[in-house]
Amino acid sequence: MDSHRSSRKIDFGPQVATHLRYPHRLNLYERPPLDEITLEQFETWAIDRLRVLAEIEASLARNRTSEELKTVIKSQCAKYLPLSANSAHARELDAERQKDHISHFILRLAFCKTDDLRRRFTRVESLLFRARFEEEDSAERQKFLEAHGSQQGEPVDDSEKAQLRSKLAAASNMSETQVDKEPYVKVPWTKVLSLVDKRRVYLHRGIAYVPQRELSSVIFQDFSSRLERALEQTHKQTSDLDEDDRLNPILDHLGKGFVAGVNTEYSFGEEIAPGDAVTASMVDALAKDHWPLCAKNLHASLKREKHLKYNGRLQYGLFLKGVGMSLEEAMIFWRKSFSSMSDDKFRKEYSYNIKHTYGQVGSRINYTPKSCVAIITGDNPGSGHNHGCPFKHFSPDNLTLALSTHYDINNRADVLEILNAVKADRYHVACTRVYEITHAAQGVKRGDGVGEGESVTHPNSYAMKSRELAKKGGVKKEEEMEVDS
């Protein structure tokens, strides 16, 4: 992002000057932010939050337990969206909480456009809020409840509580003395269905009497309900954003974050270590052991047909560039692969495009490898084309055959799990499960993903992680591959 772009401001209004603008690290997001931030902050803060939310949704699709989900949320938040407790006096409390506050509202703009996006955003945001609430220090959580509890219902006065003392005690599993000391609120019973189901509140004429210690259930339900309504309202009020050429491209990109996650591991442009460079003669062995299915499919098609159409060449060429293949080696690889044509035809019709992808001719743009989002949301492959994401573009039968052919995945339960993820449009979840299954011998377990529980979000990240595992031992070393081939 250039300096001109990053210096442009988005004005949410005047700032509030108080000693601590955010007294609690928990936030119900009731008020829109009133801050001025740069366009770069707008994008990067939203992406950081989306990384957390996308991994929560991936965890749900992978049927992680509640404890595993808590671990994932804690890990992701520590990396991308930290919120320190009030006891951490040395930390930038307001700065962390400002980022959390604003990033939530930015993503509201991105995920308010369809019923499906609103539903999914509400679900993962509610899970994030619940996890933070349960992780909160008990004293801070109590202060938060005291500050927001009165908003959740009508307080029960002492005289009414005295009349109902025995009934409240029986319903709440408390002594009458404890009831006298415990604040209560009255709410419609539909707001505390979980408490009603567990018979932990007293009901009278459609009203539930909720002790303060159980207010978390009210707040969880209220958080989800408020957010659902707010997203619908946001959708109605943001038609003008469709004409904003600064924000709309960013919001459209963010809105695709649930399609294939948000890349967190792979960063193109870093210098390739001498031992990590890939030569043309290494590709066959690397493709067999380390490539994701999209790259395996392209490589197999190239070997079989001795040619790839433009989109396939571009996708695979950029992938090879990303794994460490130099332009010189790329020319050797593609010339060897296109063995059925003459040198003159290759030089006239194909060598220029290869050089172009490396930024050596034409506009001299240093093109980056395609991410999962770019591949999944790009052009669908037509007849005779091999680009795209096999998890999205293959039929169930063809995908089953590909899993067997390329990975020797034949276990019925494993195949069914992968197909179910695909059926739910969780293509990156399906790819992540393939990675876990095929790297079990290297100690990768269900739920580990490509590391620390994260999902596959970039083909090059998949290959990079697989090669890193190989270097740690237990499989054939890569320096042996060139000799074998």
Side-chain angles (χ1 to χ4, degrees):
M1 186 173 294
D2 59 45
S3 58
H4 174 70
R5 182 174 181 238
S6 64
S7 65
R8 299 171 75 176
K9 303 284 186 176
I10 298 165
D11 191 357
F12 289 103
Q15 293 200 27
V16 180
T18 60
H19 175 65
L20 193 63
R21 296 176 55 204
Y22 299 93
H24 309 287
R25 62 173 168 176
L26 293 171
N27 195 331
L28 294 177
Y29 309 106
E30 298 169 297
R31 298 179 180 178
L34 300 174
D35 301 79
E36 184 179 275
I37 62 172
T38 66
L39 194 60
E40 183 174 6
Q41 287 173 320
F42 182 95
E43 184 173 20
T44 56
W45 289 2
I47 289 175
D48 282 347
R49 188 180 198 90
L50 184 55
R51 284 170 171 156
V52 177
L53 300 183
E55 205 57 55
I56 292 175
E57 180 164 89
S59 295
L60 296 175
R62 294 162 69 183
N63 296 316
R64 282 178 167 147
T65 66
S66 58
E67 288 304 314
E68 288 173 337
L69 179 58
K70 288 180 183 179
T71 300
V72 168
I73 293 175
K74 186 175 182 180
S75 172
Q76 293 294 301
C77 284
K79 285 196 287 186
Y80 305 115
L81 204 62
L83 284 178
S84 302
N86 285 344
S87 56
H89 299 296
R91 299 297 300 274
E92 297 270 346
L93 298 183
D94 268 335
E96 290 179 347
R97 296 171 188 183
Q98 179 195 38
K99 177 181 176 180
D100 174 69
H101 186 204
I102 292 177
S103 64
H104 169 86
F105 276 89
I106 295 172
L107 291 190
R108 280 193 188 184
L109 296 175
F111 291 99
C112 70
K113 298 181 180 181
T114 68
D115 288 338
D116 180 60
L117 287 177
R118 290 193 290 269
R119 176 184 57 79
R120 293 164 72 177
F121 182 69
T122 298
R123 187 181 188 191
V124 292
E125 277 284 352
S126 298
L127 286 170
L128 175 60
F129 177 79
R130 179 186 286 268
R132 285 172 164 176
F133 185 92
E134 293 175 349
E135 183 74 17
E136 180 64 285
D137 173 81
S138 58
E140 290 299 323
R141 185 166 58 224
Q142 185 63 29
K143 290 179 181 178
F144 178 81
L145 287 175
E146 291 172 356
H148 295 279
S150 61
Q151 300 175 21
Q152 310 306 322
E154 178 186 348
V156 179
D157 59 38
D158 291 340
S159 61
E160 185 177 9
K161 189 163 64 172
Q163 294 175 9
L164 301 173
R165 183 184 293 111
S166 61
K167 295 177 180 178
L168 295 177
S172 305
N173 195 26
M174 292 189 291
S175 67
E176 293 188 8
T177 301
Q178 290 175 313
V179 168
D180 290 337
K181 297 178 180 179
E182 182 82 8
Y184 275 76
V185 296
K186 295 185 289 187
V187 300
W189 71 275
T190 53
K191 295 186 67 173
V192 286
L193 294 177
S194 61
L195 296 179
V196 172
D197 183 57
K198 297 174 184 177
R199 299 187 177 185
R200 289 164 62 176
V201 291
Y202 172 64
L203 291 181
H204 181 64
R205 294 182 178 177
I207 297 298
Y209 288 73
V210 184
Q212 183 169 276
R213 66 179 63 181
E214 299 285 4
L215 270 178
S216 59
S217 295
V218 184
I219 289 180
F220 295 155
Q221 179 63 40
D222 190 56
F223 181 91
S224 298
S225 299
R226 285 175 181 264
L227 183 53
E228 288 173 358
R229 294 193 298 270
L231 287 169
E232 292 176 359
Q233 193 66 26
T234 301
H235 177 54
K236 295 176 182 177
Q237 296 177 343
T238 54
S239 58
D240 290 345
L241 282 178
D242 292 338
E243 301 176 4
D244 193 316
D245 60 0
R246 300 175 308 156
L247 301 186
N248 214 39
I250 297 175
L251 295 175
D252 285 343
H253 177 72
L254 292 171
K256 297 173 182 176
F258 282 157
V259 174
V262 183
N263 178 48
T264 58
E265 289 293 332
Y266 177 72
S267 179
F268 177 74
E270 297 179 1
E271 185 175 350
I272 302 295
D276 292 333
V278 172
T279 63
S281 58
M282 293 170 62
V283 177
D284 283 348
L286 287 172
K288 179 178 181 295
D289 292 335
H290 302 301
W291 279 189
L293 187 54
C294 56
K296 278 181 177 283
N297 176 58
L298 286 165
H299 187 72
S301 300
L302 178 60
K303 295 279 287 184
R304 181 179 62 252
E305 300 169 13
K306 304 185 186 307
H307 185 266
L308 285 177
K309 294 192 175 181
Y310 174 75
N311 284 333
R313 296 198 307 273
L314 180 61
Q315 181 178 325
Y316 195 38
L318 290 175
F319 171 82
L320 292 173
K321 176 184 177 183
V323 296
M325 180 175 282
S326 67
L327 173 58
E328 292 73 22
E329 288 294 329
M331 295 296 289
I332 295 171
F333 171 79
W334 288 106
R335 180 65 194 97
K336 180 181 178 182
S337 299
F338 287 4
S339 58
S340 62
M341 67 177 62
S342 67
D343 287 339
D344 186 59
K345 180 179 177 65
F346 178 81
R347 183 174 59 255
K348 289 180 177 178
E349 298 183 20
Y350 296 97
S351 61
Y352 181 89
N353 283 339
I354 297 170
K355 295 175 183 178
H356 190 269
T357 61
Y358 279 80
Q360 298 301 306
V361 295
S363 59
R364 298 188 180 275
I365 297 173
N366 189 22
Y367 293 97
T368 61
K370 291 179 178 290
S371 67
C372 292
V373 169
I375 293 171
I376 289 171
T377 61
D379 293 335
N380 290 335
S383 177
H385 291 260
N386 305 102
H387 65 279
C389 172
F391 296 102
K392 178 182 180 181
H393 299 123
F394 280 16
S395 68
D397 288 344
N398 286 342
L399 180 57
T400 300
L401 178 61
L403 293 173
S404 177
T405 302
H406 294 300
Y407 294 110
D408 197 28
I409 297 178
N410 297 297
N411 180 276
R412 181 174 176 80
D414 289 337
V415 173
L416 185 60
E417 182 179 2
I418 293 166
L419 293 178
N420 284 338
V422 169
K423 186 177 180 180
D425 298 336
R426 308 297 192 266
Y427 311 115
H428 63 304
V429 172
C431 189
T432 302
R433 186 64 190 125
V434 168
Y435 182 92
E436 293 171 344
I437 293 169
T438 56
H439 292 79
Q442 285 76 52
V444 178
K445 302 184 295 297
R446 174 189 291 275
D448 286 350
V450 292
E452 298 183 1
E454 293 192 356
S455 303
V456 175
T457 56
H458 201 296
N460 288 83
S461 176
Y462 184 114
M464 177 183 72
K465 288 295 185 178
S466 182
R467 294 179 72 192
E468 286 177 357
L469 280 178
K471 290 178 182 178
K472 293 178 181 178
V475 296
K476 182 185 291 188
K477 295 181 180 179
E478 288 182 7
E479 53 264 29
E480 299 174 4
M481 293 179 177
E482 190 165 355
V483 176
D484 293 347
S485 60

